[in-house]
Amino acid sequence: AIMATMAYPKWRNYGFFDKELVKNPEDDQVLDVLKGINITVSSSGRGHMVFGDADGFVHFLHRDLHVSKFMAYQCRVSHLAQLKQHNVLISVGDDDESGPIVKVWNCDKWDRSGNPHCIRLLPLSPGTRTVQPVSVIAVHEADHTTQLAVGYCNGTVAVIKDIIKERMFRTNQQHALHQDRDPITGLAFAPGKIGPILYVATSNAVFSYQLGPNVHRESLGQLGCEVGCATVSDQSQDFQFVVGRKEAVYFYQREDKGPCFVFEGEKTLIHWFRSFLVVVFRDTRAVKSTTGGKSVCNVNIYDIQNKYIASASPFPDVRAVLAEWGALYVVSGSDHKLYRLEEKSTASKLDILFRKNQYEMAINLARNQRCDMDGLVDIFRQYGDHLYSKGDYDGAIKQYVRTIGRLEPSYVIRRFLDAQRIHNLTTYLEELHAKNLANTDHTTLLLNCYTKLKAVHKLKQFIQTDRELNFDVETAIKVCRQASYFDHALHLAKKYKQHEWFLKIQIEDRRVYMEALDYIGRLDFLDAEFNLKKYGKDLVNEKPDATTELLKLLCTGKWPRGGLPGEEMRAQPEEFVHIFVQRKEQLLHFLEHMVQYQPNSSKLVYNTLLELYLHHDKDETTVEQQQREDKALDLLRSPDADFDIDHALVLAQMHNFRAGVLHLYERARLYSASCSSLVSVTISLCCQVSPDLAVSHGAQ
C-alpha cells in the first residue's frame, strides 16, 4: 500500500488554545509544588496527575493543586499507568538490582501510613538470565479483563492478563508475544472487532497483533521511532497507531499503512488529546541562542481531520504532557512549572475564524462541535455574504442554498434580482422548491426566470416532473400562459385537472374550439356543465353544431360520465338559452330536441321555442314562414306544451299569427274575443276580394 503524504506548511495556526502558567490559588504565586521532584515518569486520570521520581516515590497532584506521595520502590520508578475505568495505578520500578517489578495499587484503599493498598506484585523478566530493563508499557482495560503489555530493551514484548486481580505472589505469568533484535520503543492498545489490537514499535519497525484465541501478526513498515514518540488516536481517526519520526508523523491501521503528515523536526513526545495530535519538538535553533544552553521545546497541537494547527507554543525543556481536568498540562523546565493549555470555547474559535474569513473551517468546526442548526445557518449566511461582497456570486448562492428552511428567502432573493445574476437566483429558487418551501410568489419568480432565460428544457422538466408536487399549480399555469408557453400550461392544467384553465387557454389563446369541445366531452357531468355555462357562448358562435350536440347530451341525461350508479343527471336547458343569442337556428334545434325528449320542459323552454317559430327573417320565403307557423300551431295545440298562455297570446298577436291567436282564445275560453278575431279575419279576407263587400260587412 502507498502511504498518502500531506504537507505541513499549508496548515494554518489559529491559536485555539490559551496558554496559562498555573498559579497557587492561595497566594496567586507560580505553583511550585513539583519543584525539587526528580521526575522520571508521569501519568494522569481519575482526577489527578501522577509523577514517579528517581527515589522510588509516587506523587499525586490533586485538583486542589496539593501534592501527596508514597514510597512505591526502594530505588527508581520507571513507568506509570493510571487506569481510567478503575481507580488503580500500575507502576514499574526497581527495589534492588534483581530487576524491574510491576506493582498494582488500589487507590481506593489507603493504610494508616498514607500508602495505597498493593494488590499485586510481579517481577518482570523476559525469559533471560540477565536483567532486562523495561522500555515501555501499555494497558488495555475491558469489562472482563485488564491486560498489561511490557516492552523490553532487548526487543521482547510480553503480555500479562488479569493484571488488576489481587494475587500476592511472585510467579512469572508473562506471555512472550514478540521477539525482535531492536529495542521496543512504543506500545499501544486499540479496540478491534474480535479482540484488542496491540501495536508494537521498535527503533526500526512497526507491527500489529490481533489478540484473541488466535493471535495474528502484521508487519506494517520498516520505520520505527524513539521512546515516547508513539501513541494511539481516538475514534475520530479510527484508533490508528501514530508514530513520530524526525521527517514526519506516520499513521498505521491494523493491516496497512495510513496517512503520513510531514511535520519536520526532532520530536521528543507524541500525545493524543481529544481529537488533537500533540507533538513536542526540540527547537535546536533556540538552544544555540539561549543563554545557559537550556533546551527549548515547541508544543504543537494539530487537528488532523480538519488539517490546521490549533496551537503552537514554546516551552523550556518539556518533561511531561498530561491531559486532566478538561485541559492539557505541560510540565516544563528544571523547576517543573506547570502550564495549562485550555481549548477555547466554540464561540471564541468561530470568532477567530470569522475575522480571518475562514468560513469553511468554521463550518467544519461547528459540525464537529455539534452546534445546532441555527448556529450553522448563521455561518452559512455570513459565508454567503462574504463571497457576495467579493463578487463570487456562484459561491455565495451555494452557501445561501444551505440556509433554506431557516433564513428568510427574501433576504437572498433581493440580492439576486439583478438581471445579470438571474442564473444564481434560479439555482436558489429551484432548491427552495425541491425542499417544498416555496410559496406562490417563489413559483412565479422561478418560472419567470426560466422564461427570461429561455430555458425551455428546465421549464419542461420543472412542470412535467413525476416527483411529489412542490409548487402551486395555478400560479405555474398563469406564468406559462403569460409567457405564451401554452403547451406547458396545458400540460399542467390537464395533469392536475385544472379544467377551467385548460379551456381558457384553448379557447381564448389558441382558439382551437373543437379540441376544447373534445376535452369537455371527456369531463365529468358537473365539470362539463360548469364549463359549458362559462364558455358555451364562444363555443356556440365558433362551433354551433358540435356545441349544440354536447348540450343535448348534457340536458337529456345521456352524459357518459359523472353521477352515482343508476342516478340520472341532467342539466336545465333554460340555463343555456342565453348562449345562443347569435345562433337562433341552433337554439331552435336544441329546444325542439328538448321538448321531444323531455315533454315536461319548463315554460321558458316552450315560450322561447314559440318565439323562435314566430320570428320571421327577412330572407325567409313564404313557404318557410308557413312551415314555422304550422310548427307553432302544433306546439300550441300540444297537450304537453307547458307554455304561458298570456305570453303566447302576446307573441301571436305581435307576429300577426291569427291562427294561433284564435286557438289561444279558445283555449282560454275567451269566446267574445274569438268572435271579434274571426270578424276581423273575415273583413280582411273581403278586403282582399272586394273592398265594397268589406265595407258592407263592416257596416253590419
Side-chain angles (χ1 to χ4, degrees):
I2 298 175
M3 182 173 286
T5 303
M6 301 186 184
Y8 157 70
K10 296 181 181 178
W11 292 22
R12 298 186 61 170
N13 180 8
Y14 292 112
F16 283 166
F17 281 76
D18 292 320
K19 177 181 176 181
E20 179 187 13
L21 183 61
V22 178
K23 296 183 178 181
N24 193 321
E26 296 179 356
D27 54 13
D28 200 34
Q29 298 297 313
V30 175
L31 186 72
D32 59 358
V33 293
L34 299 179
K35 188 176 182 179
I37 301 175
N38 188 6
I39 297 175
T40 56
V41 66
S42 61
S43 185
S44 64
R46 306 291 293 192
H48 49 243
M49 299 180 192
V50 190
F51 301 93
D53 66 17
D55 299 320
F57 283 92
V58 172
H59 306 259
F60 290 92
L61 178 60
H62 303 281
R63 185 157 195 156
D64 60 3
L65 302 181
H66 286 83
V67 173
S68 61
K69 67 178 181 178
F70 73 95
M71 176 171 279
Y73 296 91
Q74 297 297 320
C75 298
R76 177 176 180 271
V77 182
S78 61
H79 299 85
L80 289 173
Q82 172 65 56
L83 304 192
K84 303 298 188 288
Q85 297 180 19
H86 306 85
N87 196 11
V88 171
L89 177 68
I90 298 176
S91 63
V92 178
D94 300 299
D95 279 333
D96 49 37
E97 295 181 358
S98 61
I101 300 173
V102 172
K103 294 183 180 181
V104 182
W105 309 91
N106 184 349
C107 296
D108 286 330
K109 295 181 180 180
W110 295 75
D111 60 21
R112 295 180 180 179
S113 301
N115 298 323
H117 177 52
C118 183
I119 60 175
R120 191 162 186 182
L121 186 147
L122 182 64
L124 294 178
S125 173
T128 61
R129 293 182 179 181
T130 59
V131 174
Q132 293 295 329
V134 174
S135 53
V136 289
I137 65 171
V139 178
H140 174 69
E141 293 184 80
D143 295 335
H144 56 282
T145 184
T146 300
Q147 302 183 63
L148 173 67
V150 181
Y152 294 91
C153 293
N154 71 345
T156 301
V157 176
V159 176
I160 306 169
K161 296 183 178 180
D162 299 327
I163 187 64
I164 65 173
K165 288 190 177 181
E166 188 168 350
R167 294 175 183 173
M168 290 303 295
F169 47 80
R170 302 173 66 90
T171 57
N172 195 330
Q173 294 182 318
Q174 298 182 70
H175 165 64
L177 182 71
H178 178 86
Q179 295 286 344
D180 204 285
R181 62 185 180 183
D182 298 315
I184 306 301
T185 56
L187 291 174
F189 282 99
K193 293 182 179 179
I194 60 175
I197 299 167
L198 177 62
Y199 289 101
V200 178
T202 71
S203 56
N204 291 303
V206 176
F207 306 89
S208 72
Y209 285 87
Q210 173 66 69
L211 303 183
N214 298 312
V215 177
H216 178 72
R217 164 179 157 157
E218 288 284 350
S219 177
L220 300 179
Q222 301 301 312
L223 297 173
C225 65
E226 299 296 325
V227 173
C229 291
T231 187
V232 69
S233 69
D234 68 351
Q235 188 175 6
S236 67
Q237 293 296 317
D238 300 322
F239 302 105
Q240 295 183 85
F241 189 49
V242 187
V243 172
R245 291 173 58 87
K246 185 174 182 179
E247 71 278 6
V249 174
Y250 300 88
F251 282 67
Y252 295 91
Q253 300 157 7
R254 186 179 72 85
E255 296 180 343
D256 205 351
K257 297 174 182 178
C260 165
F261 299 92
V262 182
F263 304 147
E264 293 182 346
E266 182 184 349
K267 301 166 184 68
T268 62
L269 186 65
I270 297 286
H271 186 81
W272 198 270
F273 173 65
R274 294 176 179 168
S275 60
F276 299 103
L277 172 67
V278 183
V279 181
V280 179
F281 295 88
R282 190 182 305 281
D283 192 341
T284 55
R285 293 170 300 177
V287 172
K288 297 177 181 179
S289 60
T290 303
T291 57
K294 295 180 180 179
S295 64
V296 174
C297 296
N298 291 320
V299 177
N300 288 6
I301 304 175
Y302 301 97
D303 187 319
I304 298 298
Q305 182 172 350
N306 296 303
K307 298 179 178 54
Y308 66 83
I309 304 172
S311 176
S313 301
F315 293 89
D317 191 23
V318 174
R319 306 298 298 273
V321 175
L322 300 166
E324 194 59 46
W325 310 318
L328 198 65
Y329 289 85
V330 178
V331 180
S332 173
S334 58
D335 52 357
H336 298 160
K337 291 180 181 178
L338 189 64
Y339 292 85
R340 180 190 298 111
L341 291 173
E342 188 164 7
E343 189 176 2
K344 293 180 183 290
S345 67
T346 301
S348 298
K349 290 180 183 179
L350 291 175
D351 186 56
I352 292 171
L353 293 173
F354 292 155
R355 290 199 302 268
K356 295 177 180 289
N357 293 326
Q358 295 294 306
Y359 292 98
E360 282 292 351
M361 189 67 71
I363 291 168
N364 294 334
L365 174 65
R367 283 177 171 160
N368 292 340
Q369 299 294 323
R370 297 179 181 177
C371 290
D372 60 22
M373 196 59 197
D374 288 334
L376 272 171
V377 165
D378 188 58
I379 299 174
F380 298 150
R381 179 192 61 77
Q382 291 188 58
Y383 192 12
D385 292 346
H386 170 69
L387 295 174
Y388 184 91
S389 66
K390 291 174 61 179
D392 183 2
Y393 302 118
D394 292 341
I397 208 68
K398 289 179 181 178
Q399 299 308 316
Y400 288 135
V401 162
R402 300 164 89 176
T403 69
I404 290 176
R406 301 278 179 166
L407 182 64
E408 176 60 41
S410 60
Y411 178 89
V412 179
I413 292 171
R414 284 196 300 268
R415 287 174 166 253
F416 290 90
L417 282 176
D418 189 290
Q420 295 179 348
R421 300 167 198 159
I422 193 170
H423 289 88
N424 304 122
L425 179 59
T426 302
T427 299
Y428 180 80
L429 292 169
E430 285 173 340
E431 290 297 324
L432 204 61
H433 282 81
K435 292 179 169 59
N436 291 320
L437 294 172
N439 58 30
T440 56
D441 292 334
H442 301 145
T443 301
T444 301
L445 190 56
L446 176 58
L447 294 175
N448 280 326
C449 288
Y450 285 150
T451 57
K452 288 181 180 178
L453 293 171
K454 299 188 183 304
V456 180
H457 173 72
K458 279 197 168 186
L459 178 62
K460 182 178 179 180
Q461 187 178 38
F462 178 79
I463 65 175
Q464 296 185 4
T465 178
D466 293 328
R467 296 175 300 174
E468 182 181 353
L469 190 65
N470 58 9
F471 57 88
D472 182 76
V473 174
E474 187 171 358
T475 300
I477 294 172
K478 286 181 181 178
V479 175
C480 290
R481 184 190 181 208
Q482 290 170 357
S484 298
Y485 286 96
F486 298 128
D487 290 339
H488 299 79
L490 288 171
H491 171 84
L492 283 173
K494 187 174 183 179
K495 181 176 181 179
Y496 296 105
K497 298 182 179 181
Q498 298 287 318
H499 308 309
E500 187 176 352
W501 279 107
F502 186 92
L503 293 169
K504 184 186 288 288
I505 296 168
Q506 294 285 58
I507 294 169
E508 297 179 5
D509 299 319
R510 299 185 69 202
R511 301 184 184 280
V512 284
Y513 303 101
M514 278 308 301
E515 292 184 23
L517 285 169
D518 290 342
Y519 185 82
I520 293 175
R522 294 191 296 270
L523 297 180
D524 290 339
F525 174 84
L526 292 176
D527 291 326
E529 181 185 30
F530 173 82
N531 286 289
L532 277 173
K533 286 179 180 179
K534 183 166 186 177
Y535 300 107
K537 186 175 181 180
D538 292 329
L539 292 171
V540 164
N541 290 337
E542 299 296 334
K543 298 293 178 181
D545 295 333
T547 307
T548 303
E549 291 303 314
L550 269 185
L551 286 171
K552 289 177 181 179
L553 294 174
L554 193 71
C555 296
T556 55
K558 296 182 180 180
W559 195 260
R561 298 171 184 83
L564 299 174
E567 178 185 10
E568 185 180 76
M569 300 187 71
R570 60 177 66 184
Q572 301 301 316
E574 58 269 18
E575 295 181 356
F576 297 93
V577 170
H578 68 282
I579 71 175
F580 291 92
V581 64
Q582 296 179 5
R583 293 289 179 177
K584 288 185 170 56
E585 193 65 30
Q586 279 71 30
L587 177 59
L588 178 64
H589 295 324
F590 172 63
L591 295 179
E592 285 179 337
H593 182 82
M594 290 309 305
V595 299
Q596 180 183 353
Y597 284 93
Q598 201 170 307
N600 61 341
S601 295
S602 67
K603 283 184 171 59
L604 179 61
V605 171
Y606 281 102
N607 291 342
T608 306
L609 181 58
L610 179 61
E611 184 176 356
L612 290 170
Y613 283 151
L614 296 178
H615 178 76
H616 296 156
D617 292 330
K618 293 180 180 180
D619 56 350
E620 197 172 36
T621 65
T622 304
V623 175
E624 290 175 337
Q625 290 182 5
Q626 186 58 49
Q627 289 175 347
R628 284 180 180 270
E629 288 183 356
D630 291 344
K631 287 184 177 181
L633 189 58
D634 290 341
L635 181 67
L636 292 176
R637 288 173 176 173
S638 172
D640 295 324
D642 185 23
F643 53 82
D644 184 283
I645 293 179
D646 294 335
H647 183 77
L649 187 58
V650 170
L651 287 174
Q653 291 173 340
M654 183 186 304
H655 293 282
N656 198 26
F657 181 35
R658 294 186 178 91
V661 171
L662 285 173
H663 175 76
L664 290 171
Y665 280 158
E666 291 176 4
R667 184 168 177 172
R669 297 181 180 182
L670 298 173
Y671 300 115
S672 59
S674 178
C675 291
S676 300
S677 179
L678 284 171
V679 170
S680 177
V681 169
T682 301
I683 293 172
S684 177
L685 290 173
C686 290
C687 287
Q688 296 176 11
V689 176
S690 172
D692 294 336
L693 184 61
V695 171
S696 172
H697 276 287
Q700 292 177 3

